[in-house]
Amino acid sequence: MKLRFPLLLMLLLGLSVYAVQHNSKADNEARYELPKSSSRTQIVKHTGYTLSYSEDDEQAFWVAYVLTKEHVEQRSAKRTNKFIDDPAVRTGSATNADYARSGYDRGHLAPAADMGWSETTMKESFFFSNMSPQEPSFNRGIWKDLEEQVRAWAIDNERIYIATGPVLSGNLERIGPSGVSVPRYYYKVILDYTQPELKAIGFIMPNQKSTRSVKDFAVPVDSVERFTGIDFFYTLPDDLEKHLESQVDLNLWSWKQKKVRKQPKS
């Protein structure tokens, strides 16, 4: 008994330390992607992403989530294409009637392809709170190219932190019975917080067709913050946040070749 009790005590202490460290790591990892929230928006948490909802615009100011190599490679759930109201938005989200015959796509902010790692996350990716009116040529063109590029980075870097959304400023066009704002620009910011090479990058894209490369739209995260008024990655240590957000080194990121998309027959 004298031998067993110390051994058992050491084992229990070891498990306790592991649990604390594990939970602490999970808590730390879960916070980096979230921008600083505003008192005039509703924060809504779903399984695969968190969003800040603007009732005035009937869409999210931002959608934030962690994307891992496992998420991208697992892809166990099939795309549903079933767009539904978000029951978690207290004031009610936009609906299909808002987009019907508008000429705009129901553009995903958190892409369905990023949420294919479970049936639940796939379903929740089709909530209207995760949609924004996008020009079809933009949604299916340069925006899709950027989404594919980000998934490649998740594989390359094991884990990345993403915040994305529309730029909801200025006198914007409105569509549908709910008056959904039509953004002129969209943004995406990405943080790689895995050693040995920490880095961050941002993108600002006009809501229109483009034949340019995704790389042409890359900017420092600071530029996206000034353009949107949103404070990204604010939970990082101040010196590190300033360093990562003030510059962008394109050579630190791998780049997919731009696809040549076939034009529909006239």
Side-chain angles (χ1 to χ4, degrees):
M1 292 295 295
K2 289 183 179 180
L3 290 176
R4 289 180 181 177
F5 179 76
L7 192 60
L8 180 60
L9 181 62
M10 288 175 64
L11 179 60
L12 291 173
L13 287 173
L15 289 173
S16 299
V17 170
Y18 171 80
V20 170
Q21 289 177 340
H22 181 75
N23 290 335
S24 176
K25 181 181 179 183
D27 290 342
N28 287 338
E29 289 178 342
R31 74 183 189 210
Y32 290 125
E33 76 276 15
L34 298 179
K36 186 173 288 187
S37 61
S38 168
S39 59
R40 66 191 181 100
T41 64
Q42 179 189 349
I43 303 301
V44 178
K45 296 183 179 180
H46 291 303
T47 308
Y49 63 89
T50 300
L51 65 89
S52 174
Y53 197 77
S54 169
E55 174 60 23
D56 290 342
D57 300 281
E58 291 294 4
Q59 62 197 281
F61 271 114
W62 51 257
V63 172
Y65 59 104
V66 179
L67 188 62
T68 68
K69 179 179 180 180
E70 289 76 17
H71 288 158
V72 177
E73 293 182 339
Q74 185 172 338
R75 297 285 288 276
S76 58
K78 292 183 179 180
R79 183 182 174 99
T80 65
N81 286 325
K82 185 179 180 181
F83 296 85
I84 51 179
D85 303 355
D86 188 342
V89 176
R90 293 191 304 268
T91 52
S93 65
T95 68
N96 202 51
D98 292 308
Y99 287 83
R101 297 179 296 280
S102 69
Y104 292 100
D105 277 1
R106 297 162 292 187
H108 282 73
L109 297 176
D114 290 9
M115 298 292 146
W117 41 278
S118 79
E119 298 291 340
T120 298
T121 52
M122 176 59 75
K123 175 184 175 181
E124 292 176 346
S125 77
F126 281 88
F127 284 151
F128 271 103
S129 58
N130 187 41
M131 302 300 142
S132 183
Q134 295 182 338
E135 290 280 357
S137 57
F138 170 74
N139 180 38
R140 307 170 201 181
I142 190 69
W143 189 247
K144 183 178 180 181
D145 291 340
L146 177 56
E147 292 172 340
E148 290 173 350
Q149 178 64 79
V150 170
R151 283 191 287 277
W153 286 340
I155 294 173
D156 290 343
N157 299 287
E158 302 288 338
R159 172 186 295 268
I160 55 177
Y161 302 86
I162 302 164
T164 186
V167 180
L168 299 175
S169 60
N171 185 22
L172 301 177
E173 176 190 352
R174 302 269 180 165
I175 60 170
S178 303
V180 179
S181 298
V182 180
R184 297 189 184 96
Y185 294 91
Y186 288 87
Y187 68 85
K188 202 178 291 286
V189 292
I190 300 101
L191 169 68
D192 168 23
Y193 199 52
T194 303
Q195 293 287 3
E197 196 172 68
L198 310 185
K199 55 187 180 289
I201 192 170
F203 295 88
I204 301 172
M205 292 181 166
N207 187 10
Q208 62 188 35
K209 180 180 180 178
S210 177
T211 58
R212 296 167 61 187
S213 166
V214 165
K215 189 187 295 188
D216 292 340
F217 295 92
V219 295
V221 173
D222 275 350
S223 296
V224 184
E225 291 185 329
R226 288 191 294 270
F227 199 67
T228 62
I230 301 173
D231 186 3
F232 302 105
F233 310 133
Y234 73 102
T235 57
L236 290 172
D238 289 342
D239 289 346
L240 181 59
E241 180 187 6
K242 182 177 180 180
H243 171 72
L244 291 176
E245 293 186 354
S246 63
Q247 56 188 327
V248 57
D249 186 345
L250 300 183
N251 293 321
L252 295 179
W253 302 88
S254 61
W255 297 91
K256 291 170 64 70
Q257 289 291 105
K258 180 177 174 59
K259 293 182 179 179
V260 178
R261 300 189 183 279
K262 293 182 179 180
Q263 297 298 317
K265 294 180 180 180
S266 56

